[in-house]
Amino acid sequence: MENKSGHNFHFEIEDRVKANGWKIHSKVNYLDDVESKPREIDFVATQDRDSCNPRGNQVALVVECKYVGHDVKFWVRDNPKNHKAYFFDGYNIDNLFLDESKWHFFRPLKVAVQAEEDYKKASMYEAIMQASKALMFLRQSQQILYTKGLFYPIVVYKGIGKLTDQNGTEMKNILYFHEYPWKDQKTNDVNTRSLYVNIIHESNLEEYLDNVFKKEMDSLMKDIFFQNKMRENNIRERERRNKMNSTK
């Protein structure tokens, strides 16, 4: 945090997330794809789940913390409910998203699509982009989030500034949708990635940790367990039939 009013804010948030059962990776470096310069995200929080494959099952939060000392206006539009904007890896999202109500990105009818603030104080937009870029970089091969799992870019904030929509209605927790043309650092190929970013007031942090991020990963693990059981049952049934046929 650069603003002295929020100087220790990200350490406070780190401690609260850690106390909730997450492993903390503090001040993680990533490479900015536009300027090709190293930058820093406040922290990454992870939880590992049972897995039978070498890449594991992980839920991860890529978190930037901001003290907001000025008002920010968000322009709100219909939620595109873009399935590809969920950062899943290693799972069949077509099956998982048959019931959209289980996934919090698809529940709101409206999402923020643009932040309007004084360009000299554009800390909120900067935080959104930092969380997004850091996640995309850290999901690359050999980086700490190159695993199977579920990944969330997040901005946690507090401060005297108000967040409103374009009509002046005050907002607190915001779902922000954007598309970003990510430049691969190795190949220089540019691929546009859709992203949802959670903007969370610090007073609601634990609610999101328990009732959104953990809950969705638990739901994912239950679906995987069910699918694996069905696969095992099908294999056993085929083996049984083959054995019966061979004895005839």
Side-chain angles (χ1 to χ4, degrees):
M1 296 297 301
E2 295 181 357
N3 190 302
K4 65 181 181 179
S5 299
H7 182 67
N8 295 317
F9 179 42
H10 88 264
F11 293 116
E12 172 197 331
I13 298 301
E14 273 189 17
D15 289 345
R16 288 167 59 182
V17 174
K18 184 177 181 180
N20 206 269
W22 298 74
K23 180 179 179 181
I24 300 296
H25 309 264
S26 189
K27 297 194 172 187
V28 178
N29 289 322
Y30 69 94
L31 194 65
D32 187 286
D33 67 311
V34 175
E35 299 181 0
S36 297
K37 292 181 179 179
R39 301 201 180 279
E40 191 178 82
I41 193 78
D42 281 337
F43 68 94
V44 174
T46 60
Q47 285 188 349
D48 293 322
R49 302 297 177 90
D50 292 340
S51 175
C52 298
N53 78 77
R55 289 184 63 213
N57 281 313
Q58 186 181 77
V59 55
L61 316 176
V62 178
V63 185
E64 184 67 13
C65 303
K66 285 296 174 184
Y67 179 88
V68 181
H70 60 282
D71 293 347
V72 184
K73 179 168 69 175
F74 288 91
W75 291 85
V76 174
R77 293 293 183 266
D78 291 339
N79 186 352
K81 298 187 177 182
N82 188 323
H83 288 190
K84 293 182 179 179
Y86 248 106
F87 243 110
F88 275 96
D89 180 28
Y91 314 109
N92 186 331
I93 63 172
D94 292 332
N95 290 334
L96 290 170
F97 292 158
L98 289 175
D99 181 4
E100 288 186 344
S101 66
K102 294 166 60 176
W103 308 96
H104 81 283
F105 287 165
F106 305 143
R107 292 182 201 134
L109 296 178
K110 303 286 184 179
V111 292
V113 296
Q114 185 172 319
E116 184 177 313
E117 52 191 328
D118 189 322
Y119 75 94
K120 294 180 181 179
K121 304 176 181 179
S123 61
M124 181 58 76
Y125 179 74
E126 178 185 274
I128 292 168
M129 294 309 299
Q130 283 178 289
S132 300
K133 290 185 176 188
L135 175 55
M136 287 185 280
F137 177 81
L138 295 172
R139 284 284 300 121
Q140 296 180 116
S141 178
Q142 308 305 313
Q143 299 299 324
I144 64 172
L145 298 184
Y146 186 60
T147 64
K148 288 181 65 176
L150 181 53
F151 309 89
Y152 300 93
I154 297 167
V155 177
V156 181
Y157 78 97
K158 72 173 182 179
I160 59 174
K162 291 183 179 180
L163 277 55
T164 66
D165 66 13
Q166 66 266 30
N167 299 315
T169 302
E170 194 165 347
M171 307 170 76
K172 190 175 184 182
N173 302 305
I174 298 169
L175 186 58
Y176 188 96
F177 175 84
H178 69 127
E179 295 182 334
Y180 184 76
W182 169 256
K183 182 179 180 181
D184 189 286
Q185 304 295 315
K186 295 179 181 178
T187 65
N188 287 326
D189 292 338
V190 176
N191 295 301
T192 298
R193 173 79 204 213
S194 300
L195 289 152
Y196 285 107
V197 181
N198 283 113
I199 302 171
I200 305 168
H201 189 270
E202 59 89 18
S203 63
N204 297 114
L205 177 62
E206 282 75 15
E207 179 183 345
Y208 270 79
L209 293 175
D210 290 333
N211 297 326
V212 177
F213 308 130
K214 283 184 181 179
K215 187 174 181 179
E216 290 190 352
M217 191 61 181
D218 288 343
S219 177
L220 174 60
M221 291 295 97
K222 287 178 182 177
D223 285 340
I224 291 170
F225 178 79
F226 176 76
Q227 291 169 17
N228 288 341
K229 280 293 183 184
M230 290 291 292
R231 192 177 301 112
E232 291 171 4
N233 290 340
N234 289 336
I235 292 172
R236 283 197 292 267
E237 179 62 19
R238 284 199 299 270
E239 290 174 346
R240 185 186 69 82
R241 291 180 179 179
N242 290 336
K243 188 176 180 179
M244 290 177 61
N245 291 333
S246 65
T247 60
K248 290 181 179 180

